[in-house]
Amino acid sequence: MDGTLNVSPPKIIQGGMGAGVSWWMLAQAVSKLGQLGVVSGTAIDLILARRLQDGDAGGHIRRALDHFPFPDVAARVWDKYHVVGGKPADQPYKSVPMHSQKPSREIVELCIVANFVEVFLAREGHENPVGINFLEKIQLPHLPSIYGAMLAGVTYILMGAGIPTRIPGVLDRFAHQESATYSIHVSGANNGCETSMVFDPREYLKGSLPELQRPYFLPIIASNALAALMLQKSNGRVDGFVIEGPTAGGHNAPPRGKLHLSESGEPIYGERDIVDYGKIRELGLPFWIAGGYASSQKLREALAVGAAGIQVGTAFAFCEESGMKREYREHLLNESRAGRARVFTDAIASPTGFPFKVAQMENSVSEAGTYQGRNRICDLGYLRETYGKPDGSLGYRCPSEPVDIYLSKGGAVESTVGRKCLCNALMANIGMAQTRKDGYMEQPLITCGDDLAGIARFMRPGGGSYSAADVIAELLS
Ligand SMILES: Cc1cc2nc3c(=O)[nH]c(=O)nc-3n(C[C@H](O)[C@H](O)[C@H](O)COP(=O)(O)O)c2cc1C
């Protein structure tokens, strides 16, 4: 896989949707149809642990683990988390160790295995490429995650929410089974702080290591400037871009320049946020356009400006193969059909500081009343910020954790206002809500793009839902 893209580029990329929304079943369905299915690698270690505690219905994880090339590692994960028949609904899920700059062996193993399993299952039953999506901001799990996905033969790695200039070099090193280093962002780092992470496959996997392919790398970005920067500054090959606009689901890039909010509190995008596709084309790499492009008309428009195709999220998030909890999916589809669906771009909910699109839904975190009854807790920690302590050691804090704890770690009180615990909410979105000792059940916070308003257009006549194949047929029509 040296040189430029030598598989024929897909017209449609099914966007990676965390956490667990674009799971292996959706990606498999899309890739089987000859487009690019993308699994989400976000918090996939936690999701695997919870799926195992739910009993591994259908035995899919067991089947994937039987193909993991290092059986002792697979056995440790299975033995630790699998519950025959699933745990009782009112019993909490076990916790998994949090990621850190010096992670425990247990979480590294779980992370390698979980990324392997997700890609392995998405690749079953066909020969077509599969991709995996990560968020650059969630840096601590990057190395074992990428390695696990490569072990399963992932063809594309797509990465948004940040400027991932240091990932191409990691892919090159892993393709040669060499150890890789990744430098993490540390707020207030001082000279004594150790800011790099190292992953040596041989430290975790005993025996001969299989040959690996170097996946193609597609950063997901929102501006010409970032595309050019990626090419100038990357420590290895970039194979193309996904250019994502502010109507897309999930996290959005903030507007360029000073943040201005509308009366309803949503970020205002302006002239400076408009992408010049001519300039992107001049960079000479394939690109896909994302954010409100889920129609045959928009696909044609994208091709006309020189794109290889489009990346689509929301339309797939609500199809039958999506990992979103069925009840929420059906509810929002009905809302869309009835013309009531509303999406709000929340500038402050996400601990990442990026604007985050939220479908308005009763009994969810989007309803302030429901959320205020929740005691703050940070027990998953994917969105924690790493910060430097005066003694040179590292600490981890999240503006959604209990306020006094956040302040004791040097966090600013303003940063805590309006923050939501995305980690727990996103698990609730896919039917894996944590139950607290006091009986509180974590609530969902569904993210999706502005396209939610129109998704009922994919529904089969007389039917209550639609499949990934329906979306693809419509887009290619
Ligand atoms: C439920 C949902 C979750 C998403 N999560 C991610 C994510 O984890 N990483 C990412 O790069 N993009 C994420 N996105 C963005 C999609 O990959 C895609 O680029 C975007 O949705 C395209 O715009 P559209 O929704 O108008 O089709 C998400 C979108 C949705 C709807």
Side-chain angles (χ1 to χ4, degrees):
M1 272 210 197
D2 288 333
T4 47
L5 221 64
N6 59 6
V7 292
S8 76
K11 275 215 173 67
I12 302 168
I13 301 179
Q14 161 257 304
M17 293 180 283
V21 172
S22 64
W23 67 319
W24 62 267
M25 207 175 271
L26 173 58
Q28 189 197 76
V30 172
S31 284
K32 268 186 180 160
L33 291 162
Q35 303 303 327
L36 182 63
V38 178
V39 294
S40 165
T42 302
I44 197 67
D45 40 7
L46 173 70
I47 294 174
L48 182 91
R50 290 195 176 181
R51 282 185 196 148
L52 287 173
Q53 291 169 78
D54 285 338
D56 185 26
H60 302 296
I61 299 175
R62 182 64 265 168
R63 194 170 67 251
L65 289 180
D66 290 341
H67 287 84
F68 189 73
F70 306 92
D72 55 323
V73 179
R76 277 197 287 280
V77 169
W78 177 265
D79 294 345
K80 170 96 201 241
Y81 295 105
H82 183 246
V83 176
V84 182
K87 69 165 190 64
D90 60 353
Q91 197 180 304
Y93 287 105
K94 267 186 198 163
S95 57
V96 302
M98 286 195 204
H99 287 276
S100 66
Q101 188 260 340
K102 290 221 163 18
S104 64
R105 186 174 190 95
E106 187 188 333
I107 187 62
V108 174
E109 288 188 351
L110 178 62
C111 201
I112 301 170
V113 167
N115 282 273
F116 172 90
V117 166
E118 202 65 6
V119 173
F120 174 89
L121 291 173
R123 290 191 65 209
E124 261 190 332
H126 63 93
E127 297 288 315
N128 295 330
V130 159
I132 193 163
N133 174 284
F134 299 110
L135 299 177
E136 207 279 328
K137 275 245 168 183
I138 306 186
Q139 298 184 317
L140 300 171
H142 277 342
L143 295 176
S145 298
I146 291 172
Y147 188 81
M150 284 177 67
L151 266 184
V154 77
T155 302
Y156 287 86
I157 293 194
L158 300 95
M159 196 175 276
I163 310 172
T165 53
R166 305 289 96 184
I167 295 292
V170 169
L171 305 183
D172 293 334
R173 307 264 319 164
F174 284 166
H176 295 107
Q177 291 290 10
E178 291 164 352
S179 75
T181 304
Y182 195 74
S183 197
I184 54 171
H185 174 77
V186 177
S187 297
N190 54 51
N191 287 340
C193 289
E194 177 57 65
T195 60
S196 55
M197 295 188 73
V198 184
F199 177 84
D200 182 355
R202 284 179 182 77
E203 198 185 321
Y204 292 94
L205 306 168
K206 301 292 170 235
S208 71
L209 301 175
E211 235 177 67
L212 298 183
Q213 283 186 333
R214 198 271 197 194
Y216 299 120
F217 183 59
L218 307 181
I220 304 170
I221 46 165
S223 72
N224 304 87
L226 276 185
L229 186 85
M230 277 302 307
L231 293 187
Q232 272 163 21
K233 297 274 160 95
S234 288
N235 62 351
R237 205 183 74 226
V238 171
D239 298 284
F241 297 104
V242 175
I243 316 285
E244 197 184 65
T247 61
H251 284 95
N252 299 145
R256 302 193 72 201
K258 195 171 167 3
L259 179 67
H260 294 286
L261 299 179
S262 68
E263 263 177 34
S264 59
E266 295 181 281
I268 299 174
Y269 290 84
E271 288 282 306
R272 292 182 64 194
D273 301 299
I274 296 172
V275 176
D276 181 343
Y277 295 115
K279 287 222 173 93
I280 300 275
R281 207 172 46 229
E282 282 166 17
L283 298 174
L285 292 179
F287 64 96
W288 289 261
I289 308 183
Y293 270 76
S295 72
S296 54
Q297 164 69 24
K298 294 298 278 184
L299 172 57
R300 280 193 294 274
E301 266 177 54
L303 297 175
V305 296
I310 53 177
Q311 172 167 287
V312 171
T314 305
F316 287 112
F318 291 91
C319 77
E320 287 148 4
E321 294 90 343
S322 158
M324 191 187 295
K325 191 176 176 179
R326 189 179 180 146
E327 177 190 331
Y328 306 145
R329 180 165 58 80
E330 290 181 349
H331 171 72
L332 287 169
L333 258 176
N334 284 332
E335 291 292 284
S336 171
R337 187 155 49 177
R340 286 191 301 258
R342 281 179 304 126
V343 177
F344 179 75
T345 307
D346 195 326
I348 50 173
S350 172
T352 63
F354 281 71
F356 188 63
K357 280 236 166 27
V358 179
Q360 302 303 285
M361 200 166 84
E362 275 175 28
N363 297 323
S364 78
V365 175
S366 70
E367 293 284 306
T370 311
Y371 201 63
Q372 270 155 18
R374 177 184 186 270
N375 289 322
R376 281 183 173 232
I377 177 172
C378 180
D379 58 342
L380 302 179
Y382 288 89
L383 296 174
R384 294 187 307 170
E385 169 193 35
T386 308
Y387 68 96
K389 297 186 187 173
D391 65 0
S393 62
L394 299 182
Y396 305 90
R397 64 188 175 208
C398 176
S400 297
E401 72 184 318
V403 175
D404 53 338
I405 298 181
Y406 184 69
L407 300 187
S408 74
K409 295 174 181 173
V413 72
E414 313 82 79
S415 304
T416 65
V417 180
R419 298 285 186 209
K420 310 276 165 63
C421 176
L422 248 54
C423 293
N424 273 292
L426 295 192
M427 290 300 119
N429 291 355
I430 54 171
M432 293 180 178
Q434 182 63 296
T435 311
R436 300 291 170 199
K437 284 204 188 83
D438 61 3
Y440 180 83
M441 176 82 109
E442 292 289 351
Q443 298 299 307
L445 183 71
I446 305 282
T447 179
C448 61
D450 294 350
D451 197 24
L452 174 68
I455 42 163
R457 69 184 179 279
F458 296 106
M459 281 165 135
R460 288 184 285 262
S465 64
Y466 63 88
S467 66
D470 292 327
V471 176
I472 290 172
E474 175 72 24
L475 300 182
L476 296 178
S477 69

